[in-house]
Amino acid sequence: MTGVRVLVGTRKGAFVMTADGTRDRWDISGPHFGGWEIYHLTGSLVDTNRLYAAQSTGWFGQLIQRSDDGGTTWNPVGNAFVYDGVPGTHQWYDGTPHPWEFKRVWHLEPSLTDPDTLYAGVEDAALFRSSDGGQTWQELSGLRGHGSGSRWQPGAGGLCLHTILLDPSDPERIVIAISAAGAFRSDDAGTTWHPINRGLSSDYIPDPDADVGHCVHKIAMHPSRPDVLFMQKHWDVMRSDDAGGSWHEVSGNLPSDFGFPIAIHAHEPNTIYVVPITSDSQHYPPDAKLRVYRSQTGGNEWEALTNGLPQRDCYVNVLRDAMAIDTLDPCGVYFGTTGGQVYASANGGDSWSAIVRDLPSVLSVEVQTLP
Amino acid sequence: MIRVMLPAHLRSLVQRRGEVELQLEGAATQRSVLDALEAQYPMLRGLIRDQVTQERRPFVRFFACEDDLSHESPDAVLPDAVVQGAEPFMIVGAIAGG
């Protein structure tokens, strides 16, 4: 029977959770890298034993760890993330120029075809690529250098590049997103970039419809339909049917359209999941009820998924990289909370149970479907 | 022989419980000690000093013989007690939460 491996990054280490295809009973290992922040932990689609972890602390900076045996053993690889050329300035919170400074890696995205190739989205926002299993990193500087960088500004978490989507039908196409700059697309494998934010509106920037400056929280793409993108923005859930060329709102009947993660069902590309959060100042669920919302119509019509989730006195958040979907049938849905719970549904969200309840605050959740 | 005391985060990274011992050729300075430390444990590159500027990271401090050496020149010779191995060169994470 096939199984799954859930990869969880927390404020104080990484945890690896495995189960067979029933997803009933879990074996949990960790903490790996205890005491370090693990912003992201992910695995290669090509070689499921190849894992990568972004490990950092405010004191000692950044490490990248690599495992070649599914997370049993780890080795540090390269951590020299050096901006190409003179980094220049972006906007600080008050709009004044602020020099670009590397702080940490937020997101690692392995290549769809080569376990030794992966991308890193970093704070202050930039995209790096490694083609030697993480030993060395080169910036894809056309993104930061395309002309609007001086107008990018940090969100509450920093000026972070958190989303990297690789188009399985076109190896030249990459979509990324930055808080708070917006979404960008390259059609030449990362050499040149252009903003794809038409249709977004944000009242926290002087021109709400500007081409850059939007606080995009996460974008999801289904591999069978790469031109259709779903976005959870600071406020608003958005959809594009032309690879980001234009966006329209699909928040519909959500109790709040503020939130962080967004994910797509493995086998139904029109079924999407979000976790509404009360507001930008109240980072906990509306009415203190932890509810995943599912739309089976590609947005606008949403249903609350509550079976097994706390429906009173709940004040946790679910961060942007903390939701994942496996590819079993029925597909599993997973998310982690700032309260340290990791919830799993083995039936597409119809019911939930906690794999674990008392981890450090969860930063990221990924899942691998094992052969 | 120079004795180096690492903070807990870095001890776990290099998988050492106690102090690290280094053999130096030439003068014992902050720079030569850190160069030797990073040569012995390459995974520490960038975690104590910036990868490019080689400046001490902001939340890292250097103590020895009950003195704060954080703001001394990286090329200043370390105290005799450190050079002779009687006292450790201490790399300390600033007290800033965690």
Side-chain angles (χ1 to χ4, degrees), chain A residues 38-220:
Chain A
I38 308 298
Y39 266 61
H40 199 210
L41 178 69
T42 192
S44 167
L45 283 173
V46 186
D47 174 2
T48 53
N49 279 327
R50 173 64 63 83
L51 308 183
Y52 294 98
Q55 171 187 4
S56 64
T57 73
W59 291 287
F60 305 112
Q62 184 69 49
L63 283 158
I64 301 295
Q65 297 272 357
R66 189 177 92 194
S67 173
D68 296 325
D69 56 12
T72 304
T73 63
W74 295 84
N75 288 296
V77 285
N79 63 343
F81 291 91
V82 180
Y83 294 117
D84 195 16
V86 177
T89 62
H90 57 78
Q91 284 190 19
W92 195 232
Y93 294 94
D94 62 359
T96 55
H98 191 84
W100 234 277
E101 298 164 333
F102 174 82
K103 295 184 178 66
R104 60 177 62 81
V105 172
W106 275 67
H107 184 91
L108 296 166
E109 189 67 30
S111 156
L112 302 177
T113 56
D114 173 17
D116 283 335
T117 296
L118 73 162
Y119 298 83
V122 312
E123 175 189 358
D124 287 338
L127 183 64
F128 286 78
R129 183 176 187 269
S130 172
S131 56
D132 56 9
Q135 298 288 354
T136 61
W137 296 89
Q138 296 80 39
E139 186 188 6
L140 299 174
S141 57
L143 171 64
R144 222 168 26 82
H146 98 283
S148 67
S150 63
R151 289 184 285 141
W152 302 358
Q153 59 185 321
L159 180 61
C160 56
L161 194 160
H162 51 69
T163 295
I164 304 168
L165 298 172
L166 306 174
D167 185 335
S169 67
D170 180 356
E172 300 283 298
R173 177 167 287 182
I174 308 172
V175 171
I176 65 93
I178 296 168
S179 294
F184 296 80
R185 195 180 80 206
S186 171
D187 295 317
D188 55 11
T191 304
T192 63
W193 295 83
H194 60 277
I196 50 168
N197 299 308
R198 192 154 58 92
L200 305 186
S201 183
S202 304
D203 59 11
Y204 44 77
I205 51 179
D207 173 3
D209 306 317
D211 60 339
V212 299
H214 303 276
C215 192
V216 176
H217 283 182
K218 199 68 189 171
I219 303 176

Side-chain angles (χ1 to χ4, degrees), chain A:
Chain A
M1 177 182 282
T2 58
V4 295
R5 182 189 292 133
V6 177
L7 307 171
V8 179
T10 79
R11 291 275 179 208
K12 292 294 179 186
F15 296 84
V16 178
M17 307 171 186
T18 51
D20 66 19
T22 64
R23 293 157 288 184
D24 282 337
R25 299 172 61 184
W26 293 87
D27 178 60
I28 301 172
S29 74
H32 304 277
F33 328 118
W36 292 75
E37 293 184 318
I38 308 298
Y39 266 61
H40 199 210
L41 178 69
T42 192
S44 167
L45 283 173
V46 186
D47 174 2
T48 53
N49 279 327
R50 173 64 63 83
L51 308 183
Y52 294 98
Q55 171 187 4
S56 64
T57 73
W59 291 287
F60 305 112
Q62 184 69 49
L63 283 158
I64 301 295
Q65 297 272 357
R66 189 177 92 194
S67 173
D68 296 325
D69 56 12
T72 304
T73 63
W74 295 84
N75 288 296
V77 285
N79 63 343
F81 291 91
V82 180
Y83 294 117
D84 195 16
V86 177
T89 62
H90 57 78
Q91 284 190 19
W92 195 232
Y93 294 94
D94 62 359
T96 55
H98 191 84
W100 234 277
E101 298 164 333
F102 174 82
K103 295 184 178 66
R104 60 177 62 81
V105 172
W106 275 67
H107 184 91
L108 296 166
E109 189 67 30
S111 156
L112 302 177
T113 56
D114 173 17
D116 283 335
T117 296
L118 73 162
Y119 298 83
V122 312
E123 175 189 358
D124 287 338
L127 183 64
F128 286 78
R129 183 176 187 269
S130 172
S131 56
D132 56 9
Q135 298 288 354
T136 61
W137 296 89
Q138 296 80 39
E139 186 188 6
L140 299 174
S141 57
L143 171 64
R144 222 168 26 82
H146 98 283
S148 67
S150 63
R151 289 184 285 141
W152 302 358
Q153 59 185 321
L159 180 61
C160 56
L161 194 160
H162 51 69
T163 295
I164 304 168
L165 298 172
L166 306 174
D167 185 335
S169 67
D170 180 356
E172 300 283 298
R173 177 167 287 182
I174 308 172
V175 171
I176 65 93
I178 296 168
S179 294
F184 296 80
R185 195 180 80 206
S186 171
D187 295 317
D188 55 11
T191 304
T192 63
W193 295 83
H194 60 277
I196 50 168
N197 299 308
R198 192 154 58 92
L200 305 186
S201 183
S202 304
D203 59 11
Y204 44 77
I205 51 179
D207 173 3
D209 306 317
D211 60 339
V212 299
H214 303 276
C215 192
V216 176
H217 283 182
K218 199 68 189 171
I219 303 176
M221 167 201 291
H222 193 279
S224 72
R225 210 170 57 166
D227 280 353
V228 179
L229 302 175
F230 293 100
M231 172 194 293
Q232 173 68 69
K233 196 163 71 66
H234 193 81
W235 292 100
D236 305 332
V237 177
M238 307 294 291
R239 171 177 175 150
S240 172
D241 293 297
D242 53 6
S246 61
W247 297 88
H248 60 278
E249 187 172 0
V250 293
S251 305
N253 61 330
L254 287 171
S256 165
D257 59 17
F258 187 92
F260 290 94
I262 189 164
I264 306 176
H265 191 286
H267 313 298
E268 301 169 13
N270 234 20
T271 296
I272 52 180
Y273 301 87
V274 296
V275 183
I277 294 298
T278 303
S279 71
D280 49 2
S281 60
Q282 295 172 298
H283 281 189
Y284 43 77
D287 304 320
K289 300 176 180 178
L290 184 55
R291 292 168 289 186
V292 174
Y293 274 73
R294 177 174 65 192
S295 171
Q296 295 178 297
T297 56
N300 281 323
E301 299 163 28
W302 299 88
E303 59 178 324
L305 307 175
T306 62
N307 186 0
L309 298 177
Q311 295 304 297
R312 54 176 293 184
D313 305 324
C314 183
Y315 293 93
V316 299
N317 193 4
V318 180
L319 299 181
R320 72 190 79 220
D321 248 347
M323 179 176 254
I325 308 275
D326 73 32
T327 59
L328 295 177
D329 190 10
C331 84
V333 186
Y334 306 84
F335 69 94
T337 77
T338 54
Q341 301 88 32
V342 178
Y343 290 101
S345 168
N347 49 24
D350 290 338
S351 63
W352 301 85
S353 60
I355 300 175
V356 61
R357 290 189 177 277
D358 298 304
L359 296 186
S361 182
V362 174
L363 296 171
S364 68
V365 174
E366 295 284 356
V367 60
Q368 295 179 290
T369 305
L370 302 176

